[in-house]
Amino acid sequence: MKVSKAAVLSLLAMASSLSSQQVKSVMNNEGRFRKDIILPVQSEQGETYIPVTVIKGKEKGPVFSIVAGIHGYEYPPVIAVQELLREISPESVKGTLIIIPVANTEAFKKRTPFISPLDQKNLNNAFPGSPDGSSTEQIAHLITKEVISNSDIFLDIHGGDANEDLMPFVCYYNRTDAPEQTAAAYELSLRSQIPYVVSYPYTITEKEPAKYAFKQAVQQGITALSIEAGKLGNVQEDQVALIKSAVYRMLQHTGNYAISKKADKKISKVTLLNRQEYIRVPQSGIFYSSFKSGDTVKKNQTLGFITDEFGTGKQDIIAPVGGIILYKIGTPPVNQGETLLCIGYYKQ
């Protein structure tokens, strides 16, 4: 396990409002504290920042990091983390929690799907980032260096963006050459009690850019996973509640936070989906489909069709495999090459 104090000191030292003496003072505050930090980011595109909360318990324990808002239009994760920040008490924490409530603040404030309005780049395609790059690349670098690298467990929370109809699931990478970390991520996935667990293949080398936040953590040998909940750029209260419940269950399992003295250790049955089939948009146009995320489909079933703006040129969309729709474009316009649907299924 990494040294919690080093992780905390690194982050606190980056907060321009704190002197080195103040950092030491905070660390000695009965051994536990909460500090809200602003990490400034300056680039040619303009100034922005990353909000970070560090909650350190009095007793030793793992460093559990939570990130929301890597895509600024994915609101249920952001609202769930806002509620967690109001509810979690430092007196009940063991180890350290590092929480980024909104990683992509400019996209969040400007209501921009997927990309940052500053540099038109996707933060969840930028890891490990660069200290001298654009604003998005610098944010990815700071998260990689100051959060991921100081974590024992890394949780990245996402949802359906403005155009995405998504069913809730928890996911991890099946890194076969790191069985201990993979097994820990799988166990945390089960503990979340989210009914669907998705396992992604891990195929990149050590030198390839990970691109995705929690894949970066996996590449660094850290126990990492992601929650996907919420859809279509709206706040669904049941999805906020699902995210919070899953996070609390994970924190209780790792020993970071006790939600109940009589913890329910029973794990409900989950559905494991270890394969994914991505259907790309064959032609730009208008997409029609009666299917929703979570629907079960059969191989060779017609899932919908695409027309041009005049309602002609119909092209059917056929399911190449049977399985469950994890997410799909839930708004009419589609552009060639985009992911139209993702079907999850299990293969022995």
Side-chain angles (χ1 to χ4, degrees), residues 56-125:
K56 179 185 177 296
K58 186 176 182 180
E59 297 183 44
K60 292 183 179 180
V63 179
F64 195 122
S65 296
I66 301 169
V67 177
I70 280 186
H71 288 141
Y73 215 121
E74 296 174 359
Y75 296 141
V78 173
I79 299 306
V81 171
Q82 292 295 308
E83 294 187 9
L84 289 169
L85 286 173
R86 290 195 293 269
E87 295 171 4
I88 292 176
S89 169
E91 286 74 19
S92 301
V93 171
K94 292 183 180 180
T96 303
L97 304 182
I98 301 175
I99 302 173
I100 299 180
V102 188
N104 197 337
T105 55
E106 301 308 314
F108 178 73
K109 290 187 292 185
K110 299 295 193 301
R111 308 182 189 92
T112 308
F114 299 109
I115 62 173
S116 167
L118 288 180
D119 59 7
Q120 305 301 305
K121 292 187 177 181
N122 186 336
L123 179 55
N124 208 38
N125 198 36

Side-chain angles (χ1 to χ4, degrees), residues 217-282:
V218 173
Q219 188 180 51
Q220 294 181 209
I222 294 163
T223 298
L225 67 165
S226 179
I227 293 172
E228 294 272 1
K231 59 185 178 180
L232 295 169
N234 291 309
V235 177
Q236 298 89 23
E237 292 299 331
D238 63 327
Q239 299 301 288
V240 172
L242 180 145
I243 293 168
K244 288 175 57 183
S245 176
V247 171
Y248 276 129
R249 287 176 178 273
M250 290 181 188
L251 292 175
Q252 178 153 292
H253 177 67
T254 59
N256 286 99
Y257 198 78
I259 58 175
S260 172
K261 292 183 179 179
K262 295 181 179 180
D264 182 8
K265 296 183 180 180
K266 183 180 179 181
I267 301 176
S268 300
K269 184 180 179 180
V270 302
T271 299
L272 177 64
L273 305 171
N274 64 358
R275 296 288 188 276
Q276 300 81 41
E277 184 74 26
Y278 298 91
I279 301 175
R280 306 292 179 181
V281 177

Side-chain angles (χ1 to χ4, degrees), residues 284-306:
S284 298
I286 300 173
F287 179 48
Y288 297 84
S289 176
S290 61
F291 284 89
K292 306 293 184 184
S293 63
D295 285 348
T296 298
V297 299
K298 297 178 181 179
K299 184 177 180 179
N300 297 325
Q301 188 171 9
T302 300
L303 304 180
F305 59 91
I306 298 173

Side-chain angles (χ1 to χ4, degrees), residues 156-200:
D156 184 17
I157 310 178
H158 284 262
D161 217 300
N163 67 331
E164 291 178 324
D165 176 21
L166 176 142
M167 62 170 272
F169 60 91
V170 59
C171 53
Y172 68 97
Y173 280 98
N174 181 23
R175 184 172 178 177
T176 56
D177 63 339
E180 184 177 344
Q181 286 76 18
T182 300
Y186 174 66
E187 181 65 23
L188 280 170
S189 298
L190 296 181
R191 295 287 174 176
S192 76
Q193 292 292 271
I194 295 175
Y196 289 94
V197 176
V198 175
S199 169
Y200 293 125

